[in-house]
């Protein structure tokens, strides 16, 4: 059997806007028959159904069926009629993208119809009846990638765009799409190639009359390149937070008011909240947006010395959640007599040592916020003052604290304010070289370590072929980010930079 | 006419190894060459080995080749290049007496049993049913054989250029071989042109040696061959250094148009690593001098090779610029420098066995495959010879891996990537560089040499003894420890090495950069380590960790290497591939993604397409 891909020649379709009722929905078609299929279900406004001829607002044109030869990147106003039962489906805008000029490189059509799931379903049904098939997840991107319209980085960015949950994350993905990250990484690649070319020339052409041992230049170049890598790594955390959202866990003993605080915060922005229900014994999550930045709030099971197996599991999860978080809200009931501060140690003991935590981790004093809750019930404020003293005594005086109550919306505002004040730098995107894929992070980390070794070895006059091994390692990893393979470019570089020849 | 098992066309460095290996395997072998007096002739520089090339010579020796012995025997100067650098990139080079080298090879061939030498120009191949069954020579007679190996060097449609003078020929004094490559191309082979050049040869007596600097060889001789004596046979000679200057460059620049390359007469591609002096002056105009070495072509030879000044300018211009160089003011040329343009077949058309894909029992080796250099040619000749013989004898193919030998890298590069310029070996071409060293050639290849059968068994036995001894000491170093007592610490301090905090095996001790094998006897009095394994032991121990890391790194880059590509893919149907890529992939039919990646002209984006394609269509 001949092994050939018929799938790539199919015309595919899918609803490209999120599911649900909205103003409009967009249905996208891709493949050789994209336009002809749509043309089959379009019809003139003044057809036999006898509707009056209407002018398309602002264009002076009469709505017609689609033309024989459409212009690329032009939108056409038309009506769609079902070929199954002759019923009018919708009034739509059809935008046509010619072969080679679309996002995927194929002939592509976008139908903007009214955002009603039933309408969309009917249109799709017709398209499939006429020979289209439903696109698989990410298939448009796959096609764009296959047709060389986007590179690997861009393809990944699009996928991350599809999955991105906040506006900020969208911005970064868009920047990556524009190739800014590709450019930044290419700069690293360029630097490493240059250094390696010099080292290789020193090995393979040591008999030649060439100057390759300008060590200071090499060190300088290496340092600069390493610096770019380090900066990009430092930005990863930021990129991750921007993409996945800031992670905030409410931690504390049972019944200190964690859940009601969570609800109060969610209540502030209910319209954009997506609640994921859990059991009371498990962690409960909710999301809010703050200045366009996604914030994940996690309510955890109250921590105490339980003998119940299920509760123990819940408590364990609370600790893990807090440890993974960017911020921990440690909630204290001001009416209570005491609280168990050892919970905090349990959380931070998960960090084996300071060195192991990511370099750019927010400092601990920003990581924990002491939340003195139920101040509305502390009529004269004495209990609150008492707790402030306790915090001081326990050695947490440098940590921020705030006073809240969860009875009204306003009661939880100090928490929002805290996030705004302390994480505002994560709420703006200033650098274009933010990486937000864990794959990129891993590869860059390897490159970072290799560069560090190179710098040490250059200092210690190591054997050139061993230094070359480390530069090669860095280069291989950087190239993998770009989806490139190590090839002859080092030798090409040697020949273009040095006069070699006996 | 008589019939043979194998016919080898050409008696250069590739032809010699190919014919010897066939004859030694008991096959009736015929060597046809246009000029028997130029058997194993050094057409260009009078030396063997060098960086990466020295590795190849040693590898050939352990496999049972001849080049190493000839080079040792006729060595007139020895140098270990990169001696100050790490052991993996050190390379041995001999300068040789050119005439004695030719004599040695002629003698070896004529004394070889089963081998017939004949002077004749091969005009065409006899091909029946896509199988090569013999050759037709110039007088029209036919010679039949079971296999044919073409090692015609630069002779196929060779044209020489000196300025505007253009002459057919593969080398000065020898005529070209016309007809062969035309026939091959009619059979559908892609035949292309390459260019190479050689510098002028000067009369020894016409040089003012007082104006040059002497360049001596090394004091210690490390022979290429495992069986050669470390005692040199011939008296050693010196080389000399002088430099071009701005005046020289001015003359060359003024006359560029008269150079066939710059005048646009030659369109073959020349090697970037071996540019002509014209090239150097144009591309690196900021340099106001270039080194050149004066290398005697033999002990009593009157001919001096002017290394670094390859040129194809007219003879009178060559004189004009040579006379501006210190020491060469009154120099006389035996023969001017010249360029040669010749046919080669795109090597992606041959298998790793060097048999052609289109025609069975037809093999190509050496410069006809687009390589450059005596060593690269010899290695291919050897591999083609073994494989032709094995095919006739119905034995298994002989293919060396990239992790086994530079020879493996050479052939894999040629047959999968093809080449745009004459291909020369560099250490940086070997991704397993730390593993492929001169000092462990026996470790890497003696088994392969023995199993394929031309390595004499008494030599193999000696190699085995050597390896066993090495192994014995390695185990000893692993098992025996030194302890942190006063005496030990004092000895370490004397060696400027850090004191011990806990017991340390001798192996771990030797891993320290400041400790050498000879120091071990300080800690272990009754130990006697043979001189010849001291360095290899130390290198092996010190490099162990790095080699491991290199392997891991290669594995990381080759995750894709093993990803299999179905053999029945029609690449014409895969989106995202250019027309050229589709053609190339359909032509090569790579077995793995890794091999596809090495095909030149196949871009990274194509590999991504293949990967996405595999993922998208195979796992669906």
């Amino acid at each position: 059997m001949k092994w050939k891909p018929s799938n790539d020649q199919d015309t595919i379709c899918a609803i490209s806007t999120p599911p649900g009722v909205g103003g409009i929905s967009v249905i996208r078609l891709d493949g050789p028959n994209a336009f002809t299929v749509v043309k089959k279900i379009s019809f003139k406004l003044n057809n036999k159904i006898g509707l009056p001829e209407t002018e398309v607002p602002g264009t002076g044109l009469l709505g017609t069926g689609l033309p024989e030869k459409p212009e690329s990147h032009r939108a056409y106003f038309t009506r769609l009629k079902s070929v199954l039962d002759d019923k009018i489906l919708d009034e739509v805008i059809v935008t046509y993208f010619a072969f080679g000029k679309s996002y995927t490189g194929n002939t592509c059509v976008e139908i903007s119809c009214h955002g009603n799931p039933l309408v969309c379903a009917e249109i799709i049904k017709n398209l499939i009846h006429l020979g289209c098939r439903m696109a698989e997840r990410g298939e448009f991107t796959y096609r764009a990638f296959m047709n060389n319209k986007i590179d690997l980085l861009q393809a990944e960015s699009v996928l991350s765009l599809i999955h991105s949950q906040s506006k900020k994350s969208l911005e970064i993905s868009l920047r990556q799409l524009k190739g800014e990250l590709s450019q930044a990484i290419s700069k690293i690649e360029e630097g490493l190639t240059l250094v390696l070319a010099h080292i290789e020339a020193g090995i393979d052409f040591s008999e030649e009359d060439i100057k390759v041992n300008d060590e200071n230049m090499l060190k300088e170049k290496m340092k600069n390149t390493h610096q770019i890598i380090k900066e990009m790594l430092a930005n990863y955390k930021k990129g991750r937070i921007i993409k996945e959202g800031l992670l905030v866990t409410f931690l504390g003993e049972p019944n200190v008011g964690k859940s009601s605080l969570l609800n109060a915060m969610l209540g502030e922005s209910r319209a954009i909240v997506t609640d994921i229900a859990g059991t009371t014994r498990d962690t409960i999550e909710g999301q809010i947006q703050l200045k366009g930045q996604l914030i994940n709030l996690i309510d955890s099971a109250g921590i105490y010395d339980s003998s119940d197996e299920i509760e123990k599991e819940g408590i364990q999860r609370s600790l893990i959640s807090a440890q993974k978080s960017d911020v921990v809200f440690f909630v204290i009931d001001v009416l209570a007599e005491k609280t168990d501060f050892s919970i905090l140690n349990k959380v931070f003991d998960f960090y084996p040592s300071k060195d192991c935590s990511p370099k750019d981790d927010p400092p601990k004093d920003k990581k924990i916020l002491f939340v003195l809750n139920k101040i509305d019930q502390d009529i004269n404020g004495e209990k609150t003052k008492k707790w402030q003293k306790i915090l001081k005594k326990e050695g947490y005086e440098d940590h921020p604290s705030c006073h809240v109550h969860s009875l009204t919306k306003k009661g939880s505002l100090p928490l929002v304010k805290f996030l705004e004040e302390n994480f505002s730098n994560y709420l703006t995107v200033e650098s274009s070289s933010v990486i937000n894929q864990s794959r990129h992070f891993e590869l860059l980390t390897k490159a970072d370590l290799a560069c560090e070794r190179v710098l040490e070895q250059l200092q210690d006059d190591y054997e050139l072929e061993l230094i070359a091994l480390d530069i090669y390692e860095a280069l291989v990893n950087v190239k993998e980010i770009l989806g490139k393979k190590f090839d002859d470019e080092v030798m090409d570089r040697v020949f273009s930079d040095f006069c070699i020849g006996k | 006419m008589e019939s043979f098992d194998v016919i080898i066309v050409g008696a250069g460095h590739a032809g010699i190894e190919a014919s010897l290996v066939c004859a030694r395997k008991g096959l009736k072998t015929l060597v046809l060459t246009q000029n028997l007096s130029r058997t194993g002739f050094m057409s260009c520089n009078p030396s063997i080995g060098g960086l990466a090339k020295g590795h190849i010579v040693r590898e050939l020796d352990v496999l049972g080749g001849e080049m190493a012995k000839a080079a040792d025997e006729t060595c007139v100067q020895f140098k270990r290049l990169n001696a100050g650098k790490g052991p993996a990139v050190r390379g041995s080079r001999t300068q040789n007496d050119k005439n004695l080298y030719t004599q040695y090879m002629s003698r070896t061939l004529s004394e070889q049993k089963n081998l017939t030498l004949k002077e004749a120009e091969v005009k065409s191949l006899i091909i029946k049913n896509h199988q090569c069954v013999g050759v037709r020579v110039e007088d029209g007679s036919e010679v039949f054989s079971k296999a044919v190996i073409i090692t015609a060097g630069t002779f196929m449609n060779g044209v020489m250029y000196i300025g505007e003078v253009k002459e057919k020929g593969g080398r000065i004094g020898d005529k070209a071989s016309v007809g062969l490559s035309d026939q091959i191309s009619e059979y559908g082979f892609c035949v292309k042109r390459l260019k190479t050049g050689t510098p002028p040869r000067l009369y020894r007596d016409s040089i003012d040696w007082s104006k040059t600097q002497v360049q001596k060889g090394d004091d210690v001789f490390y022979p290429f061959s495992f069986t050669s004596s470390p005692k040199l046979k011939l008296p050693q000679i010196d080389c000399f250094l002088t430099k071009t200057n701005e005046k020289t460059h001015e003359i060359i620049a003024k006359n560029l148009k008269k150079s066939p390359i710059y005048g646009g007469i030659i369109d073959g591609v020349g090697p970037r690593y071996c540019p002509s002096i014209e090239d150097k002056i144009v591309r690196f105009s900021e340099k106001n001098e270039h080194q050149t070495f004066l290398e005697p072509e033999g002990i009593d030879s009157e001919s001096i090779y002017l290394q670094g000044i390859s040129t194809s300018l007219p003879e009178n211009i060559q004189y004009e610029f040579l006379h501006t160089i210190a020491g060469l003011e009154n120099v006389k040329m035996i023969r001017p420098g010249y360029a040669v343009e010749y046919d080669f077949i795109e090597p992606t058309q041959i298998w790793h066995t060097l048999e052609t894909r289109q025609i069975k029992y037809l093999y190509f080796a050496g410069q006809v495959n687009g390589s450059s250099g005596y060593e690269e040619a010899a290695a291919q000749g050897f591999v083609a010879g073994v494989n032709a013989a094995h095919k006739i004898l119905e034995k298994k193919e002989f293919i060396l891996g990239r992790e086994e030998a530079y020879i493996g890298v050479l052939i894999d590069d040629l047959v999968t990537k093809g080449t745009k310029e004459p291909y020369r070996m560099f250490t940086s071409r070997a991704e397993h560089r730390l593993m492929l060293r001169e000092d462990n050639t026996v470790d890497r290849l003696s088994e392969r040499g023995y199993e394929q059968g031309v390595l004499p068994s008494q030599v193999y036995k000696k190699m085995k003894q050597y390896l066993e001894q090495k192994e014995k000491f390695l185990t000893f170093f692993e098992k025996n420890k030194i302890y942190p007592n006063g005496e030990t610490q004092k000895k370490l301090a004397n060696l400027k090495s850090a004191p011990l905090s806990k017991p340390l095996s001798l192996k771990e001790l030797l891993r320290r950069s400041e400790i050498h094998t000879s120091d071990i006897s300080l800690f272990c009095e009754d130990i006697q380590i043979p001189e010849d394994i001291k360095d290899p032991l130390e290198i092996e121990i010190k490099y162990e960790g790095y080699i491991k890391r290199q392997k891991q790194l290669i594995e990381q880059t080759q995750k894709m290497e093993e990803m299999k590509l179905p053999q029945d893919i029609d690449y014409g149907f895969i989106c995202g591939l250019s027309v050229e890529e589709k053609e190339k992939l359909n032509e090569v039919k790579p077995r793995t993604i890794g091999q596809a990646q090495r095909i030149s002209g196949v871009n990274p984006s194509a590999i991504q397409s293949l990967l996405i394609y595999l993922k998208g269509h195979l796992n669906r």
Side-chain angles (χ1 to χ4, degrees), chain A residues 78-264:
Chain A
T78 184
R79 285 189 175 189
L80 299 183
K81 175 186 70 172
S82 172
V83 287
L84 302 169
D85 54 12
D86 254 12
K87 268 192 203 153
I88 298 171
L89 292 169
D90 198 5
E91 277 187 344
V92 300
I93 299 287
V94 169
T95 316
Y96 169 74
F97 303 92
F99 180 82
K101 291 182 177 173
S102 70
Y103 162 70
T104 63
N106 296 333
T107 306
C108 191
V109 171
E110 284 180 9
I111 305 172
S112 304
C113 61
H114 289 99
N116 179 329
L118 289 174
V119 171
C120 292
E122 279 300 310
I123 297 175
I124 292 277
K125 216 200 247 169
N126 268 277
L127 297 176
I128 287 172
H129 179 77
L130 292 169
C132 295
R133 91 176 144 74
M134 284 302 283
E136 287 174 40
R137 192 183 174 84
E139 195 169 0
F140 291 106
T141 303
Y142 162 81
R143 288 185 170 196
F145 180 68
M146 296 297 272
N147 291 336
N148 290 326
K149 286 284 172 184
I150 54 175
D151 66 20
L152 184 60
L153 261 179
Q154 289 173 318
E156 282 176 347
S157 296
V158 172
L159 295 178
S160 121
L161 198 76
I162 293 171
H163 299 131
S164 74
Q165 305 191 40
S166 71
K167 279 200 301 196
K168 293 292 170 198
S169 170
L170 213 75
E171 266 175 56
I172 290 209
S173 294
L174 284 173
R175 275 162 192 253
Q176 287 192 358
L177 195 58
K178 277 194 236 148
E180 285 182 32
L181 182 59
S182 299
Q183 277 167 26
I185 303 239
S186 297
K187 215 169 146 192
I188 300 175
E189 185 194 8
E190 156 87 20
L192 290 172
T193 304
L194 179 117
V195 177
L196 187 54
H198 278 247
I199 302 265
E200 291 294 357
I203 293 173
D204 273 331
F205 303 101
S206 57
E207 295 295 289
E208 307 270 350
D209 179 25
I210 52 174
K211 285 199 189 79
V212 288
N213 296 326
D214 187 352
E215 270 182 40
N216 289 331
M217 188 278 276
L218 288 187
K219 275 181 202 161
E220 204 49 41
K221 188 84 198 165
M222 198 63 213
K223 266 187 203 155
N224 292 342
T225 307
H226 190 211
Q227 192 55 35
I228 306 177
I229 296 180
K230 282 201 294 195
E231 276 166 22
M232 291 186 77
L233 281 176
N235 275 335
Y236 171 67
K237 173 100 177 179
K238 201 167 176 179
R240 207 258 307 143
I241 290 178
I242 289 167
K243 182 177 164 221
E244 291 167 10
L246 193 74
L247 209 60
V248 181
T249 296
F250 288 90
L251 194 69
E253 292 189 24
N255 297 322
V256 293
K258 298 185 295 295
S259 302
S260 30
L261 278 173
L262 175 84
N263 284 335

Side-chain angles (χ1 to χ4, degrees), chain A residues 142 145-146 206 465 470 495, chain B residues 82 283 543 549 576 612 618:
Chain A
Y142 162 81
F145 180 68
M146 296 297 272
S206 57
E465 76 257 42
D470 281 315
F495 292 127
Chain B
N82 277 350
R283 291 186 45 221
Y543 267 50
R549 255 189 50 221
I612 291 202
L618 280 191

Side-chain angles (χ1 to χ4, degrees), chain A residues 192 443 447 470-481 484-486, chain B residues 553 556-557:
Chain A
L192 290 172
L443 292 169
D470 281 315
I471 305 178
Y472 176 74
E473 178 162 353
L475 200 47
V476 159
N477 284 298
V478 168
K479 278 174 178 293
E480 207 171 316
I481 298 178
K484 281 197 202 163
K485 169 84 180 169
F486 200 85
Chain B
L553 200 56
Q556 182 192 339
T557 59

Side-chain angles (χ1 to χ4, degrees), chain B residues 341-360:
Chain B
E341 205 186 16
Y342 56 97
D343 281 350
F344 78 107
I345 68 155
E346 181 63 66
T348 50
Q349 302 167 94
I350 53 180
W351 302 108
H352 280 87
T353 58
L354 302 186
E355 186 181 20
T356 67
R357 295 181 179 217
Q358 286 101 319
I359 295 166
K360 282 183 197 156

Side-chain angles (χ1 to χ4, degrees), chain A residues 301-312:
Chain A
I303 293 178
Y304 73 108
D305 211 1
S306 170
S307 54
D308 182 309
E309 280 303 312
I310 298 173
E311 273 186 349
K312 269 187 182 170

